[in-house]
Amino acid sequence: MRLDRWFKTHFPGLGFGHLQKLLRSGQIRVDGGRVKADTRVEPGQMVRVPPLEVDKKGESALTGHSIRNQGDADVLAKMLIHEDPKVFVFNKPAGLAVQGGSGVTRNVDDMLEAWRNQKGEKPRLVHRLDRDTSGVLVVARTRLAAMKLSEAFRARETKKTYWALVKGVPPKREDKISTWLIKEPTPDGDRVRVAAHGEKGADHAVSYYRIIEQAAQTMTWLEMEPYTGRTHQLRVHAAYIGCPILGDPKYFEADTNWDFPGGIQNRLHLHARRIIIPHPDKGVIDVTAPMPPHMRQSWNLIGFDDASAED
């Protein structure tokens, strides 16, 4: 089958002009090589598909930009990845704030007004993600559920796993990062720095990481777990070990000889991939969130395979 017909069959929402642009730029590849629209594909070949802003049903992939003209209830429904009588879990797109603040025109907390239940109860946030961080966001549907979930976060009974793409390669394959962090206001919003032990206003922060894959010595795919939950903790800790997260507007620094890799978007590459948390009633909630389009594009361009994380 011709490659353009293969795409028409599997991704009917993708226009031909967009397909041609992706082919010309080399973002679509077959068995690792560049191809054209009339290239014939055969069973067993590997087609690399970048983020298309459409899925196999032709529906839009959610981004902070793509939700601008959509109603709150519709966006929440598209973000939803787990639902039960006590809990919602959303896959928050990068660029959407969780709560209001300076310069924030739309946020999840306000959007939840659209999902008040028959008793008039509004779903409640029980933790936060940075505006530019995508991924798993847990929301309680009742006041009692919110109390129990919040206590689970405070008692550190939750396991949160993040995926990050960082500059360079950390000194160890896996390690614990333990520092004191202090938050300081700046004209561009709060910024966090590593503080001296016992410095006034500083909080102890502990993170764990392991290397999943690396692209030569240029970039590394890290799995990170925050043991504590400080503001910007993983972003600061990645920079602290000399491997800042790609696209981080606050903490990414590189020497003059380092070129940002072509085809990779200069956006924060940090995704809350998975959460395991005790359910308010019984059992556990274990939810995994698909990566945002800009990170999926980077994984495809580099050739990282999601299955590597399971090894």
Side-chain angles (χ1 to χ4, degrees):
M1 180 186 285
R2 282 171 53 117
L3 186 62
D4 54 359
R5 289 186 60 82
W6 185 90
F7 269 91
K8 189 171 182 60
T9 298
H10 292 280
F11 298 91
L14 180 66
F16 184 72
H18 190 188
L19 173 63
Q20 291 284 52
K21 182 178 179 182
L22 294 170
L23 289 166
R24 283 196 303 271
S25 61
Q27 294 184 64
I28 291 172
R29 293 176 179 250
V30 175
D31 289 343
R34 286 177 173 262
V35 283
K36 296 181 178 180
D38 61 358
T39 300
R40 292 195 171 271
V41 290
E42 299 175 358
Q45 288 188 302
M46 179 69 73
V47 181
R48 183 190 291 176
V49 181
L52 300 175
E53 297 287 314
V54 295
D55 65 10
K56 292 188 177 184
K57 298 175 184 175
E59 296 169 345
S60 293
L62 284 185
T63 66
H65 180 75
S66 71
I67 66 173
R68 285 182 183 174
N69 298 319
Q70 301 182 47
D72 290 349
D74 289 340
V75 173
L76 290 172
K78 291 177 181 177
M79 286 166 45
L80 189 67
I81 52 176
H82 169 86
E83 177 183 8
D84 65 53
K86 299 295 176 65
V87 180
F88 292 128
V89 182
F90 297 105
N91 184 13
K92 185 190 80 68
L96 176 63
V98 172
Q99 290 179 299
S102 66
V104 174
T105 56
R106 195 179 195 188
N107 64 80
V108 176
D109 194 27
D110 288 347
M111 292 166 68
L112 289 170
E113 290 284 353
W115 275 18
R116 284 187 179 272
N117 64 18
Q118 292 178 335
K119 297 179 181 177
E121 276 188 302
K122 174 190 164 188
R124 294 167 166 84
L125 296 171
V126 291
H127 70 126
R128 294 181 58 186
L129 291 176
D130 292 343
R131 181 176 183 169
D132 293 325
T133 303
S134 59
V136 176
L137 183 69
V138 178
V139 173
R141 299 183 66 170
T142 67
R143 185 176 62 83
L144 184 58
M147 289 172 56
K148 291 184 176 180
L149 290 167
S150 296
E151 178 54 35
F153 278 103
R154 278 195 300 273
R156 295 178 185 145
E157 295 171 340
T158 62
K159 181 180 173 68
K160 294 177 283 185
T161 303
Y162 288 72
W163 282 0
L165 183 63
V166 303
K167 169 181 169 283
V169 181
K172 298 180 181 179
R173 299 294 300 177
E174 54 184 83
D175 203 5
K176 171 184 176 181
I177 307 168
S178 175
T179 69
W180 290 79
L181 300 179
I182 192 163
K183 184 163 57 175
E184 297 176 325
T186 74
D188 298 324
D190 289 338
R191 184 180 171 89
V192 177
R193 65 170 173 84
V194 175
H197 179 83
E199 188 173 336
K200 187 177 180 180
D203 292 310
H204 189 219
V206 176
S207 306
Y208 297 89
Y209 76 83
R210 72 179 178 102
I211 294 175
I212 298 178
E213 282 197 71
Q214 63 188 72
Q217 297 298 307
T218 308
M219 295 173 290
T220 304
W221 168 12
L222 291 186
E223 182 176 88
M224 304 187 77
E225 291 183 14
Y227 177 70
T228 51
R230 312 302 181 198
T231 301
H232 299 174
Q233 176 177 318
L234 296 181
R235 297 162 62 181
V236 175
H237 274 173
Y240 176 71
I241 61 171
C243 297
I245 299 172
L246 262 66
D248 191 329
K250 288 182 182 286
Y251 306 106
F252 183 87
E253 292 182 2
D255 58 57
T256 53
N257 296 321
W258 201 86
D259 293 324
F260 206 86
I264 291 179
Q265 296 182 46
N266 191 3
R267 301 179 62 193
L268 182 67
H269 282 62
L270 180 62
H271 175 63
R273 173 68 172 174
R274 182 182 182 189
I275 195 164
I276 303 173
I277 185 171
H279 192 277
D281 289 342
K282 60 181 178 179
V284 297
I285 301 167
D286 184 348
V287 182
T288 299
M291 280 193 292
H294 73 280
M295 287 183 65
R296 174 56 61 201
Q297 181 180 30
S298 299
W299 260 237
N300 288 341
L301 288 167
I302 299 167
F304 287 158
D305 182 359
D306 289 12
S308 300
E310 308 302 326
D311 296 341

